[in-house]
Amino acid sequence: MPIDPKVAIGAELPGTSFTWTASDVLLYHLALGAGGDPTSPRELRYALEDDLRVLPTFGVVAPSLRVFEPPSVTFPGISVDLAKVLHGSQGITVHSPIPVEGKARIDSRITEVWDKGKAAVIVQEATATSPDGVLLWTTRSSIFARGEGGFGGERGPASAPFEPSREPDLVIDTPTLPQQALLYRLCGDRNPLHASPEFAAAAGFPAPILHGLCTYGIVAKALADACLDGDPWLVKSFDARFAGVVYPGESLRTSAWTDADKIHAVTTVPARDTEVLSGITLTRTSG
Ligand SMILES: CCCCCCC[C@@H](O)CC(=O)SCCNC(=O)CCNC(=O)[C@H](O)C(C)(C)COP(=O)(O)OP(=O)(O)OC[C@H]1O[C@@H](n2cnc3c(N)ncnc32)[C@H](O)[C@@H]1OP(=O)(O)O
């Protein structure tokens, strides 16, 4: 079905309520590689219930933790084959530290649909609120639907690349595991693109690729560890664009530039000399 931006833009999607527990948070952190040094008290704040501190990027996955079906890309005015879809970008702003367990409601809507000719870019925003109506976090995301452009929509604003004026302040190398995607899918994204060699081949990839949100969480943790003394509570917001695919088992290299309240970064896979996360911006809490 061609995309109909007049129907899609502004469409409110059905809201859902969800719960999470400390076990969900621990699984999420472990699926990002936390606990690699089980003798480090700082690392154990991600991996044990005692003094558990929730990485804010958990808010992106919390609403779908109990989803066991592959995602469906069907919204008002939009119906796209999952094999054509790549996660394009993701951001989250937390309004206070995410508690280790809780209940919330997520409400989302489609805010933009851009026609890139060879692809459609579909942008969503969502808010999570507590049962007593307190705003917990806000997310922004886009999906890149290959082959779905050409519907006569607007192209949208050109992205402004981050152009550093100096060498990076720090460079962080982070490994991923060959089984990283098989582990991460247990956090609620059962898209076969990350697990089935046949599905990945049909989608045009030589092997299953890593979930964008896994790379996103790994890099958020790496920056919190390297720049914020390992304290995820100091992360106010985290935004990034998925610029290239990552294959499970590849090593990531994140180059970061630190300012007073923000950290800018890019992540590459050095073995393929390929940028995989661009426009990374981490904002520190002001408190
Ligand atoms: C509801 C359920 C939803 C399901 C959600 C998803 C579920 C998940 O399981 C799926 C995943 O996790 S997929 C894995 C994570 N994502 C990726 O690996 C994508 C990596 N990126 C790429 O391969 C290319 O950048 C690629 C292919 C994205 C673009 O590369 P090119 O085709 O070379 O495009 P390019 O010529 O550079 O740009 C064309 C125009 O598109 C804009 N654009 C590019 N990358 C974008 C991106 N990542 N996000 C948003 N917009 C993007 C460009 O700005 C350009 O527009 P313009 O010319 O107007 O500036």
Side-chain angles (χ1 to χ4, degrees):
M1 179 183 98
I3 289 174
D4 185 346
K6 289 192 209 66
V7 175
I9 296 171
E12 302 281 342
L13 307 181
T16 49
S17 294
F18 60 97
T19 60
W20 70 97
T21 66
S23 293
D24 296 318
V25 175
L26 295 172
L27 173 64
Y28 173 70
H29 288 163
L30 293 175
L32 302 180
D37 179 1
T39 62
S40 156
R42 224 176 63 161
E43 192 65 17
L44 289 176
R45 293 201 299 220
Y46 292 107
L48 288 178
E49 289 84 349
D50 306 341
D51 198 22
L52 176 59
R53 297 192 184 193
V54 183
L55 197 65
T57 50
F58 175 76
V60 177
V61 302
S64 53
L65 284 168
R66 315 269 181 261
V67 174
F68 301 107
E69 298 297 321
S72 149
V73 194
T74 305
F75 310 114
I78 296 171
S79 179
V80 178
D81 177 2
L82 183 60
K84 294 182 170 179
V85 166
L86 294 170
H87 203 148
S89 61
Q90 185 65 54
I92 185 166
T93 300
V94 292
H95 304 292
S96 55
I98 297 179
V100 298
E101 59 183 22
K103 181 173 182 183
R105 178 185 163 82
I106 191 93
D107 290 288
S108 41
R109 65 193 179 98
I110 297 173
T111 55
E112 292 152 27
V113 179
W114 303 123
D115 185 345
K116 299 294 184 186
K118 62 181 171 183
V121 173
I122 301 158
V123 183
Q124 283 185 37
E125 290 180 6
T127 53
T129 42
S130 69
D132 46 1
V134 176
L135 183 60
L136 298 173
W137 63 82
T138 310
T139 64
R140 304 157 291 285
S141 61
S142 71
I143 57 176
F144 189 94
R146 298 172 295 165
E148 294 289 340
F151 52 85
E154 291 179 32
R155 195 170 180 92
S159 62
F162 170 62
E163 284 169 0
S165 56
R166 59 181 194 266
E167 291 297 304
D169 298 316
L170 71 161
V171 175
I172 313 156
D173 285 323
T174 319
T176 69
L177 298 168
Q179 66 272 37
Q180 199 80 52
L182 298 176
L183 181 55
Y184 187 82
R185 68 191 282 280
L186 302 180
C187 298
D189 183 344
R190 310 274 171 124
N191 185 346
L193 180 60
H194 311 297
S196 159
E198 295 76 23
F199 188 97
F205 298 102
I209 65 173
L210 191 58
H211 303 73
L213 288 181
C214 184
T215 311
Y216 176 81
I218 288 172
V219 172
K221 177 178 181 297
L223 288 171
D225 289 348
C227 307
L228 304 177
D229 200 23
D231 188 351
W233 286 353
L234 298 180
V235 180
K236 169 83 180 158
S237 69
F238 187 69
D239 293 81
R241 178 187 269 207
F242 302 107
V245 299
V246 175
Y247 292 95
E250 290 188 315
S251 283
L252 306 173
R253 176 164 297 163
T254 301
S255 303
W257 291 260
T258 59
D259 291 332
D261 63 339
K262 283 191 191 328
I263 300 163
H264 296 282
V266 293
T267 300
T268 61
V269 169
R272 285 188 288 118
D273 194 19
T274 298
E275 195 166 282
V276 293
L277 278 193
S278 63
I280 302 170
T281 307
L282 184 157
T283 308
R284 296 185 175 93
T285 54
S286 49

